Amino acid sequence: MEKSVLLIAPNITRDASTTKWLHPCIGIYRIAGYLKKFGHSAECYDASLYVATKKGPSLEEKLREQEWDIIAFSVLEESLADDIAAMHLAKKLMPKA
């Protein structure tokens, strides 16, 4: 049974996104590739690009794009408070995921 999976990179503030974290989160892209290999629909969302440039969808917009079966988060110690806030937002918008 195919699952729709959204993998979310660490959710960071503007200062961190422009000084130390503006690079792809390779881990979630590797996981997405693995999931796709086994027939699942997997997308990655990296908030740092939106935070730094305001281009592309916000996290809330991405969450609302479709009904996700699974929403997974990559977290960092430095971004833990923002990551937890993103988890609460995801649970509010997609309570069945």
Side-chain angles (χ1 to χ4, degrees):
M1 178 176 177
E2 179 182 328
K3 297 288 184 181
S4 172
V5 182
L6 177 62
L7 302 164
I8 300 175
N11 194 8
I12 53 163
T13 63
R14 175 155 175 72
D15 291 340
S17 71
T18 57
T19 58
K20 60 195 262 197
W21 301 115
L22 192 55
H23 57 80
C25 187
I26 302 298
I28 65 170
Y29 288 99
R30 292 188 69 189
I31 293 169
Y34 181 83
L35 292 170
K36 288 176 182 180
K37 179 179 176 181
F38 290 96
H40 300 287
S41 170
E43 291 187 35
C44 299
Y45 178 77
D46 190 347
S48 63
L49 183 60
Y50 176 77
V51 169
T53 65
K54 297 296 184 208
K55 293 182 181 176
S58 67
L59 177 58
E60 183 171 346
E61 292 167 337
K62 187 66 179 178
L63 289 166
R64 291 181 188 271
E65 277 184 10
Q66 69 181 63
E67 286 290 324
W68 303 100
D69 295 312
I70 299 170
I71 302 171
F73 293 84
S74 176
V75 299
L76 297 171
E77 180 182 355
E78 295 88 348
S79 63
L80 186 58
D82 291 326
D83 295 329
I84 290 171
M87 290 174 199
H88 284 287
L89 176 63
K91 185 66 174 173
K92 177 182 171 187
L93 298 176
M94 295 288 152
K96 294 181 181 180

